[in-house]
Each structure stands twice: as C-alpha cells, then as structure tokens.
Amino acid sequence: MATKIILVTGSNKGIGFEIVRQLAKLDHQVVLTARDEAKGLDACKKLKAENLAVRFLELDITKEESIEQAANKVKTEFGKLDVLINNAAISLRGDYSLLKNDPATTQQIINTNAFAQLAVTRAFQPLLPNGGRIIMVSSGGGSMSDPVGGWSPGYCVSKSLLGAITRHLAYELSDRRISVNAYDPGWVKTDMGGRSAPGTAEQGADTGVWLVVDDKTPSGKFFRDRKEIPW
C-alpha cells in the first residue's frame, strides 16, 4: 500500500491517539494534532519510544485562525493531504436534558462536535486529491434508528448532526471521488468513555483504520465493527 499523508484531529489521547499509532505502524505519514502543544508533543514522544515517527501540529478545531494556520502548514510541508480524520470531540458535565441543560452547554457541544468538524473539513478539503478520504468519528448515540438512550442528549444530538453533515459532504464531494464516512467506535475506555466501558481504545480505533486502508467502502455511510449500519 502506498504511503498516505493522514491528519487526525484531537489525537493526543484516547481513540485518536490509537488511530495514529495503528496507522503509523502501517508506515503512513501521520500528523497528530492537539490544541495543547505540550500534550501533543508528549504524545509524540510516547510513539517515538515505540519507534513510530509521527508529526505534531497544533490545532484547535474551535478556532478558525488555528484551523487556517494548520491547513497552510500541511500545504507547505506536504503539498496535499490524503486522509482527514475528524476525531476531536467533547462531552460536558451538565448535559442531561435538552430542556434543562444550560443552553450554553448544549451549544458548545454541538459547535465542537459538528460545526467545528465542518469548519475543519472546509479548510482541508482543497488539499485532498481526487480519491481522498474524510472520516468522521461519530457515536451510536447519534443514530436516528437506534432507541434513544437518555444519556448526554446534547452529545447525541451533536453526533446526529455530524451524520447529516457526513451525508451531505459525501454528495458534494462525489464529483472528486472523495469518500466521506462516519463510524461508531463503540463504548471504550477513554477519558470520555470512562473506566467502566467494555471496549478498549485499540478496538475503538479499528474501524477508523479500516476505513483508511480498505478500497471497497462506499461513501456517505455509517459503520460499526467494519460493517455498514443504518443511520
């Protein structure tokens, strides 16, 4: 497989970090990003200790200036970007009811987990060649067909919106054969998922890595455990 240039947002820890690790093991050129420079560089050091070479790029997906600067740096250093993986997301305390949440809490979650992903994609998509890929790390909580669970509704709604964004981007970029897909990593042990989660970060990263390397996946779809699932 040809070496791909891949950028993963919010990848200094958790699922994003594991996606970077697994792709680096496949000898791809991976750009690890974080909004906190110290945490990002520390994550790169951990991978370097495993003899894995990755690049660090500071990126705060909630700030337009940071997004533009990051896109310009990728263009200057690499000239293109083969795969964009929108992984960065937040979950906030106090997200327990759409009717009772502090409106600012719900707004911040939706802005970060959906609109910021669109902003990042808008900035980086000119660097994607025909046949490039965009992957959204979503959640089963955003499913429109599964039962509503009653947990973190603002987070779930943000992921539902991310699903809609994914489908529309897939349509808009189809003329360039750029695939845009989302996947559910499952409930895994991360800072967000908590220690009681049944899965591991390695398992949560697996489908994301598969979407990078598999050549037969369609566009505009939602996946879990390497299988397409209903939106």
Side-chain angles (χ1 to χ4, degrees):
M1 178 186 300
T3 298
K4 296 180 184 295
I5 300 167
I6 305 165
L7 183 142
V8 188
T9 67
S11 49
N12 60 290
K13 62 179 181 178
I15 293 169
F17 180 77
E18 189 56 37
I19 289 174
V20 170
R21 171 188 275 140
Q22 292 184 26
L23 289 171
K25 285 183 177 181
L26 295 175
D27 294 325
H28 292 295
Q29 176 60 73
V30 191
V31 181
L32 181 154
T33 78
R35 60 184 176 182
D36 186 303
E37 181 180 16
K39 292 180 179 178
L41 291 174
D42 184 60
C44 288
K45 288 180 181 178
K46 292 177 182 177
L47 294 173
K48 185 176 180 181
E50 299 179 31
N51 294 316
L52 298 174
V54 302
R55 302 290 183 90
F56 170 68
L57 182 62
E58 185 175 344
L59 171 59
D60 184 338
I61 68 167
T62 66
K63 296 180 179 179
E64 287 284 352
E65 183 179 2
S66 179
I67 295 171
E68 291 178 8
Q69 289 176 348
N72 287 334
K73 288 179 180 178
V74 170
K75 181 179 181 179
T76 299
E77 184 166 357
F78 300 107
K80 67 169 185 173
L81 181 67
D82 295 300
V83 183
L84 169 64
I85 302 181
N86 283 309
N87 166 76
I90 61 170
S91 177
L92 299 178
R93 292 181 180 180
D95 178 21
Y96 64 94
S97 166
L98 290 181
L99 297 176
K100 298 178 181 178
N101 282 3
D102 181 336
T105 296
T106 303
Q107 189 69 51
Q108 183 180 356
I109 294 170
I110 292 174
N111 283 343
T112 304
N113 295 357
F115 291 122
Q117 317 300 321
L118 178 57
V120 171
T121 302
R122 187 185 300 114
F124 280 93
Q125 62 83 21
L127 300 179
L128 292 168
N130 290 349
R133 301 186 183 192
I134 299 169
I135 299 165
M136 309 290 195
V137 181
S138 187
S139 167
S143 171
M144 295 295 288
S145 54
D146 286 352
V148 174
W151 57 275
S152 302
Y155 175 85
C156 293
V157 167
S158 74
K159 293 299 187 177
S160 297
L161 178 54
L162 182 63
I165 289 170
T166 299
R167 295 185 66 193
H168 283 272
L169 287 174
Y171 171 78
E172 290 191 28
L173 294 169
S174 61
D175 60 336
R176 292 169 56 196
R177 295 182 291 104
I178 294 175
S179 69
V180 189
N181 288 305
Y183 89 96
D184 170 22
W187 185 18
V188 300
K189 292 181 178 67
T190 61
D191 287 352
M192 184 182 295
R195 296 181 180 180
S196 60
T200 64
E202 291 84 354
Q203 291 170 324
D206 178 74
T207 299
V209 173
W210 170 74
L211 285 169
V212 171
V213 302
D214 188 88
D215 292 327
K216 298 179 181 179
T217 53
S219 183
K221 304 298 182 180
F222 192 22
F223 295 89
R224 179 190 295 137
D225 297 328
R226 301 192 179 193
K227 297 179 181 179
E228 184 182 341
I229 59 175
W231 285 103

